[in-house]
Structure formats: structure tokens, C-alpha cells
Amino acid sequence: MRIAYLVKRSGWQSFAERHEEGRLRRLYAKGDPTAHRLKRAHEANQRTIAELAEALESLGVKGTQIGTRTKTISRDRFDLVVTVGGDGTLLRASHRVLDVPIVGINSDPQTSVGFFCGIHAGAVLPSLERALDGRLTQKTLTRMAVTLQGKVLSKRVLNDALFCHASPAATSRYLVKIGATSEDHKSSGFWIGPAAGSTAAQKSAGGKVLPLESEALQFIVREPYTPKGERYELKKVLLEPGQIVEVRSKMHSGALFLDGHDDIRPKFGDVITFSRSDEPLFILGLGGTKKR
């Protein structure tokens, strides 16, 4: 088996890379709770990375660590992708994954959000063994494709996209078209994403929690602004496969965020489209172990 793995860069490490470790250590020495939590999470992550290394050695499998330069992970090079961290780490890795199954290891189950992680720290070896021999259940998750001015930005959005004004205090202005319906919106922006993200921002904005296997996309307007009593038809929409959301920016300072990371700045008049991707994600362990 050929395994690629991505490990979380802890908050403590991020401070160190920004040359702020000295300040963090001083806060830690003073008993600051934020610094202590950051240190504890860093140590838990390091222990889990070591646990993964020991598991790979025990199984006689050589893993290849991937980083920011890795663009696409496909079956011609790897059989499995493993992440160490939480949902955020798995999300980052998923943007590089084309057609290879992925499994997440939650390095700190006490504090880390690990909804997509099928393995927990402390049980890496037996769980990874089940993943390698096909005993972990596999789910197929829909991803979303996003284009800007006809150019594909991504076909691997798993959680959601947020389109809004670059300033969170400013009104977002855009034209939106779904099917035969077009509207001129003023709001705080909108969320759109597949079922995997429906338990996160979409739910917080008043959307529905969709079954993980759903192929629908969900479009949710944040805080619609209708001072004259207008009613938006396109406020909460479930899009079936084949439907496309077309948005034309009316902002000079618009912002588009894909899975919370990619910060893209569409210009006034730019057209953005959102649709179901033809590149689903195959994720292991969400349903536990297969019955034999």
C-alpha cells in the first residue's frame, strides 16, 4: 500500500514560525490559559504524529508526507491519504485529493472538531489496519465546483463557499440567478456548499442539515437586507445535480472564500458559478467498521 499523509501544523508551531514563540512562552510561564491550551494541543498532536509513524512501521508501510507543493494526489501514485489533526487538516488535504480514499486521525479528541475523522488518537494502529484491509466503511461525498469568469477555481470544495464584501461590516451586493429566477440582492453575503458542510455554517445561517450522501448543494443568504419589504425568492435554495448558481458581483471589494482558506477577490461585474463537481471525495471511517 502506498500512503500519503498530511499532518497539522499546530497553533504553537505557527507562533514560532512568526517569531512570536518568546511571547507565547512568557504567557505560558505566567499560567495564561490560552497559552496552556495551545501547548497541550501541540503536544497531543506531536504524540499522534509519532503514533502514526509507529503504526506505519509496524504494518511495514512506507508513508510519504505531503505539503503545500503537492497539487494532486491520484491513484497512480497512492492508495490512501491519511491526515493527522482535525477536520481542518482533512479539509486542506481533500483539496489535493482526486480519486484516492482519505481517512482522518483526530489528534486531540478532547478539544478538536473531528466529525470527518474516522480514527482517534490512541487507536491508530488497529484502525489503520482496518482501513488498509477494507474493513472501514467508505462514503462518497459530493464536492462543489466554482468558476470565476469561466475559469475553474476549484472542483474540490467540500464544506462551503462564502461570498461577501471584503469588510464584514459592509453590505454585500450581487445579482444571483438560479434557473429562470434572477434577483438583485443586498445582504451580508451568502453561503453555498454540499451536504458535508450543512452541519456547519449553512446550519448556523438557518439551512437544513442534509444526509451526507446527498448530491444537493445548499444556497443560504446571510441577513438579507430588504428595507422596502421586498421578498427574496432565492434566499434558501436546495439545488439538485445539474443546477447552477450564477452570481455577478456588484462590489469593488468583494471576497470569495473556499472552505475557509482561499481568499479570492472578484472584481465589479465578475461572474462566479457554483455547481456540483464531477470529482466526489471517498472518505473512510464515518460509518465505523464494516460487518463481516
Side-chain angles (χ1 to χ4, degrees):
M1 294 288 286
R2 303 162 299 171
I3 291 180
Y5 66 92
L6 177 72
V7 300
K8 175 183 178 179
R9 182 180 62 177
S10 71
W12 189 280
Q13 288 172 309
S14 297
F15 269 92
E17 290 170 6
R18 294 197 300 266
H19 307 291
E20 298 181 57
E21 189 173 11
R23 169 178 168 77
L24 198 58
R25 290 189 180 279
R26 288 192 296 274
L27 288 170
Y28 183 82
K30 292 178 182 179
D32 182 90
T34 56
H36 273 259
R37 290 180 182 181
L38 212 59
K39 181 69 169 177
R40 193 198 65 76
H42 169 71
E43 291 172 346
N45 194 57
Q46 292 300 303
R47 286 194 299 271
T48 310
I49 293 171
E51 186 182 358
L52 172 62
E54 292 172 3
L56 292 175
E57 183 178 0
S58 177
L59 294 168
V61 176
K62 182 180 180 181
T64 301
Q65 186 168 355
I66 58 175
T68 55
R69 293 185 179 182
T70 305
K71 299 301 180 183
T72 298
I73 303 170
S74 57
R75 286 185 182 273
D76 60 348
R77 290 190 59 204
F78 295 103
D79 302 296
L80 179 67
V81 177
V82 179
T83 64
V84 178
D87 282 349
T89 309
L90 187 141
L91 206 56
R92 284 192 293 276
S94 73
H95 281 214
R96 300 170 172 87
V97 174
L98 176 60
D99 52 4
V100 183
I102 187 170
V103 64
I105 302 172
N106 190 342
S107 62
D108 190 10
Q110 292 184 12
T111 60
S112 177
V113 178
F115 177 78
F116 293 116
C117 296
I119 300 175
H120 283 183
V124 173
L125 177 57
S127 299
L128 192 57
E129 200 169 22
R130 288 193 288 272
L132 293 177
D133 66 15
R135 284 184 289 143
L136 282 188
T137 57
Q138 176 176 294
K139 288 188 180 295
T140 302
L141 304 186
T142 291
R143 292 194 280 194
M144 182 171 67
V146 183
T147 73
L148 175 62
Q149 290 294 90
K151 179 182 178 181
V152 176
L153 296 177
S154 177
K155 298 176 77 174
R156 300 170 188 166
V157 176
L158 180 64
N159 231 24
D160 49 49
L162 169 63
F163 180 63
C164 59
H165 196 283
S167 168
T171 301
S172 302
R173 292 175 168 83
Y174 52 91
L175 302 174
V176 58
K177 179 180 180 183
I178 302 176
T181 305
S182 300
E183 289 182 337
D184 190 343
H185 280 196
K186 297 182 184 72
S187 69
S188 295
F190 63 81
W191 292 106
I192 183 170
S198 67
T199 60
Q202 295 173 43
K203 178 184 177 183
S204 297
K208 296 180 179 180
V209 175
L210 305 176
L212 270 179
E213 295 84 355
S214 172
E215 297 183 349
L217 301 181
Q218 186 165 207
F219 174 86
I220 306 288
V221 176
R222 305 194 310 167
E223 301 171 327
Y225 181 57
T226 54
K228 297 179 181 179
E230 308 103 310
R231 181 180 179 275
Y232 293 153
E233 289 184 42
L234 304 178
K235 187 168 71 171
K236 296 180 183 179
V237 183
L238 280 180
L239 298 104
E240 297 305 319
Q243 286 189 291
I244 297 174
V245 176
E246 181 182 289
V247 173
R248 188 179 298 270
S249 178
K250 293 177 61 181
M251 297 176 284
H252 292 284
S253 300
L256 175 65
F257 302 92
L258 305 181
D259 279 343
H261 292 287
D262 298 315
D263 183 357
I264 300 146
R265 298 301 172 104
K267 300 176 182 178
F268 183 92
D270 278 355
V271 175
I272 312 159
T273 68
F274 305 87
S275 60
R276 178 174 173 265
S277 172
D278 59 3
E279 296 182 5
L281 183 71
F282 308 106
I283 190 165
L284 302 182
L286 293 188
T289 304
K290 292 180 182 178
K291 294 181 179 180
R292 289 272 178 104

